[in-house]
Amino acid sequence: MKRKMEPVDVVIVGLGAGGGPAAMVLSQAGYKVVGFDKGPWLRPAEHYSGDELKYQNRSYLWPDVDLMPRTVRSDDQSVAEIFNFSPVPSNVGGGTSHMAGWTPRPRESDFIFHSLHGDLAGANLADWPIRYEHLEPYLTKVEWTYGISGLAGADKGAAFRSKDYPSEPLPPTRFGKKFYEGASALGINAFPLPMSHLTEGNALGRPAVNRSSFWNQYGDPTETRSSVTTTFIPLALATGNFEVRADSFVRHVKVDRQGRATGVVYVDNDGVEIEQDARVVILALGAIESARLMLLSKSARFPDGLANDSGVVGKNATFHEYLFAVGLFDNERDEPLNGWTGNYQSGGSMHFYETDESRGHIGGGIIATTQTGQPINMILPGRPTWGQAMKDADRSYFSHAMKIGFILQDMPQETNRVDLDPTVKDAWGLPVARITNRPHANDLAMSRWQIDKNMEILQAAGATRTIPVYLERFTGNACHQQGTVRMGIDPEKSVLNEWGQAHGVDNLFVLDGAGFPTALGVNPTLTIMANSWRCSDYIAQTHLRGRADRLELPNTGEVRRQEPK
């Protein structure tokens, strides 16, 4: 017989970028909130370090593929294989505990992609049910609560902002200066990207005690890099209204006969199955696992999965792919770049973000320069893996290499989706997520054009040799997941409305990247946090007070299609 806990106002499943802000907003509004995460609650000073083997080779933060596998296939006719596709750390804080810290804002064009471009053959473009102006106040709130450094006005194509950053940008590294040299020679607008790393003298009064090039995919023991566990979670706990239940795996969402969510059933760290009732259920597990939990939560009212009247749950999945070009410099002529100092990323550009159809594709994405990795795990395509040849390559290039990366904005396709694998099960005996994914022709064209441009920048900076890494297939290496439970106005074509609220279950909300109708060309974390805050305000101030409201959108028919430049 299941144990049953005292009911609360809100349960949040997943305490990463989406769940953290929701926990803070709702507990500060006076509601009793319980947050679940299937992983442990790691403390920076106790658990995090710069141990390369621990983080890069022993997967300290990544999901254990033996316990929580995923399967991947390219189409319906292919056999799905177990692969750790788009992994996100399994612990309280989720992706914010490992991320490099890129936190750029989206642009106004991101919210009206279909109005700008119309139908794209083979893709399923859509406008968002909100606009940039609806999100802007919350982008500012996140930047000043979470802690973001940046330089307002440096991106010449950026949308309006209501407030400057609370922290000055990180100074350029040696490889960052090389990037600026190359960009300047080609007339490209380059600038210090907004980062969740604070600098000294920041307006938040937080210490900025250390930075290391190795904190990408590492936990930061100094807390200089912001995370949900050092910002939103402590603020929520300070209210006395919030409880974290780590190491707790939610099996399914409960519904009553009318189909309203009544709570969740979870398994604690001792293997005990427990019920937790609540007035509101929020899912924030990431786009893959939120869709999976909805598909697992079948009932007489929802035989195809929770809130899946439209059949859209799991479809239109998008996954940014991180692509790059490496530049090698002359170790006798050029000063060493010393990629291990300063910061993993230093300098970027959104110069090629907006559509220019003369390039042969629509859309674009952010680019940024980075170092090429750590001593054991250097990122150098074609590098020998052992013996004298490997030693020679390391001596020549470890301090004389850099790369310019690119966040590929993939086009949403209905056939790219998450569903339940019919044969593979996880450690709890439940079907795992099966990802079906194949690149769109626009993805391949965008990859080729931008990586070629990145090589031009490296050559203009003095690189003697460049190595491209183009898109061949999606691996989920950016860990960015979007679109499986898309927001929209039409309940027949979407799952959520503009508040992240399920069309068919009015007390169910999904507040991670799953709701994004299109992928964005920037890292999604800042947008996820801002949208979660916006929707949580609605839950606290409107829904839980027994009211409902709708947003008024401008007439998208008046939006002019972008003309080729």
Side-chain angles (χ1 to χ4, degrees):
M1 184 176 178
K2 300 185 185 72
R3 284 173 49 196
K4 195 161 186 174
M5 308 296 283
E6 288 295 318
V8 296
D9 294 308
V10 181
V11 294
I12 301 172
V13 187
L15 292 176
M24 181 197 70
V25 170
L26 291 160
S27 60
Q28 288 181 341
Y31 297 105
K32 292 295 182 184
V33 182
V34 170
F36 295 96
D37 202 289
K38 65 183 177 185
W41 189 358
L42 303 174
R43 269 68 172 182
E46 181 180 353
H47 296 103
Y48 294 157
S49 70
D51 185 335
E52 182 181 354
L53 288 175
K54 174 179 177 180
Y55 289 95
Q56 297 291 315
N57 300 88
R58 294 172 182 155
S59 303
Y60 182 69
L61 289 176
W62 299 123
D64 187 334
V65 74
D66 291 330
L67 299 176
M68 296 170 276
R70 287 172 180 160
T71 62
V72 184
R73 59 181 183 169
S74 60
D75 54 47
D76 289 350
Q77 284 69 51
S78 302
V79 176
E81 298 180 349
I82 293 177
F83 180 70
N84 207 8
F85 188 94
S86 192
V88 177
S90 290
N91 52 269
V92 177
T96 67
S97 59
H98 86 115
M99 60 187 284
W102 307 17
T103 41
R105 288 187 172 202
R107 285 190 173 176
E108 291 162 304
S109 59
D110 284 313
F111 299 86
I112 51 173
F113 214 72
H114 183 263
S115 291
L116 288 172
H117 302 295
D119 293 331
L120 177 67
N124 191 12
L125 304 186
D127 286 350
W128 292 44
I130 63 172
R131 298 292 180 265
Y132 177 84
E133 56 263 36
H134 298 127
L135 201 61
E136 198 284 333
Y138 296 94
L139 293 167
T140 298
K141 287 173 185 278
V142 172
E143 289 170 351
W144 279 78
T145 304
Y146 190 70
I148 306 293
S149 62
L151 185 62
D155 175 13
K156 294 180 179 176
F160 72 95
R161 62 167 44 248
S162 56
K163 197 173 181 179
D164 203 345
Y165 290 98
S167 177
E168 293 184 355
L170 299 165
T173 62
R174 287 192 179 186
F175 60 87
K177 291 176 181 175
K178 278 288 183 188
F179 172 73
Y180 288 125
E181 289 175 17
S184 176
L186 298 177
I188 295 170
N189 173 222
F191 54 89
L193 291 189
M195 295 289 290
S196 59
H197 296 245
L198 297 177
T199 54
E200 292 182 355
N202 63 81
L204 303 177
R206 283 167 41 186
V209 296
N210 186 32
R211 293 188 297 275
S212 166
S213 264
F214 295 165
W215 295 145
N216 182 42
Q217 300 185 9
Y218 290 67
D220 177 7
T222 73
E223 302 186 22
T224 296
R225 188 189 66 201
S226 307
S227 79
V228 163
T229 55
T230 59
T231 55
F232 296 121
I233 296 293
L235 290 169
L237 291 170
T239 66
N241 293 322
F242 179 57
E243 176 187 348
V244 174
R245 291 186 195 159
D247 296 306
S248 297
F249 176 76
V250 173
R251 293 178 61 97
H252 68 268
V253 178
K254 301 191 305 172
V255 297
D256 62 18
R257 290 183 178 178
Q258 289 69 46
R260 296 196 84 232
T262 59
V264 299
V265 174
Y266 69 99
V267 181
D268 71 9
N269 204 30
D270 296 322
V272 178
E273 195 168 271
I274 304 171
E275 290 187 33
Q276 177 63 66
D277 288 351
R279 297 165 63 193
V280 167
V281 173
I282 295 175
L283 305 185
L285 301 90
I288 292 176
E289 293 301 322
S290 284
R292 177 190 175 218
L293 181 56
M294 294 174 73
L295 294 172
L296 286 171
S297 300
K298 297 178 180 178
S299 64
R301 168 65 182 85
F302 297 111
D304 298 320
L306 183 60
N308 197 20
D309 291 324
S310 62
V312 175
V313 172
K315 296 180 179 177
N316 303 300
T318 56
F319 305 100
H320 290 158
E321 188 76 1
Y322 176 74
L323 306 166
F324 56 88
V326 173
L328 303 179
F329 293 77
D330 189 324
N331 65 358
E332 295 183 355
R333 181 196 68 189
D334 298 311
E335 290 291 320
L337 298 172
N338 294 346
W340 62 86
T341 61
N343 184 47
Y344 168 75
Q345 180 277 127
S346 182
S349 176
M350 294 175 72
H351 193 95
F352 308 106
Y353 196 83
E354 305 292 351
T355 294
D356 178 345
E357 293 183 4
S358 68
R359 299 172 192 153
H361 63 267
I362 64 170
I366 193 169
I367 66 172
T369 185
T370 67
Q371 41 92 313
T372 52
Q374 302 90 73
I376 302 170
N377 298 280
M378 186 180 178
I379 301 171
L380 180 60
R383 171 186 178 237
T385 55
W386 65 286
Q388 188 62 44
M390 185 186 78
K391 293 177 182 178
D392 290 343
D394 287 354
R395 289 193 182 97
S396 297
Y397 298 121
F398 184 72
S399 291
H400 288 81
M402 58 183 279
K403 55 187 168 75
I404 301 177
F406 169 50
I407 301 296
L408 177 72
Q409 175 183 194
D410 53 328
M411 298 296 110
Q413 304 175 68
E414 190 170 288
T415 51
N416 284 350
R417 65 188 188 276
V418 173
D419 63 2
L420 301 178
D421 192 287
T423 59
V424 180
K425 292 183 169 53
D426 65 12
W428 294 269
L430 298 173
V432 304
R434 178 176 63 178
I435 293 98
T436 304
N437 181 278
R438 171 171 285 181
H440 188 276
N442 196 79
D443 306 339
L444 297 167
M446 188 190 302
S447 153
R448 175 70 60 172
W449 188 93
Q450 187 61 64
I451 297 306
D452 285 348
K453 181 61 67 176
N454 289 4
M455 288 196 294
E456 284 183 39
I457 299 171
L458 288 164
Q459 290 158 5
T464 56
R465 182 186 167 201
T466 54
I467 305 170
V469 176
Y470 301 112
L471 178 69
E472 296 179 354
R473 63 183 177 89
F474 280 90
T475 64
N477 67 353
C479 310
H480 303 168
Q481 313 167 5
Q482 301 83 212
T484 56
V485 191
R486 75 173 15 180
M487 294 189 292
I489 296 172
D490 186 348
E492 294 186 359
K493 298 180 179 178
S494 59
V495 184
L496 311 173
N497 67 15
E498 66 269 33
W499 306 115
Q501 180 181 29
H503 290 302
V505 186
D506 75 337
N507 64 340
L508 174 71
F509 294 78
V510 183
L511 302 185
D512 51 33
F516 291 11
T518 50
L520 306 177
V522 293
N523 309 57
T525 303
L526 180 70
T527 305
I528 291 172
M529 291 191 285
N531 191 55
S532 174
W533 194 323
R534 182 186 68 85
C535 296
S536 298
D537 260 355
Y538 174 81
I539 297 170
Q541 306 303 328
T542 304
H543 176 77
L544 280 170
R545 295 182 179 184
R547 302 195 298 267
D549 196 7
R550 302 307 302 264
L551 278 180
E552 291 187 9
L553 295 177
N555 183 0
T556 54
E558 297 177 356
V559 175
R560 294 183 59 191
R561 300 274 169 84
Q562 290 190 343
E563 301 296 334
K565 296 177 182 176

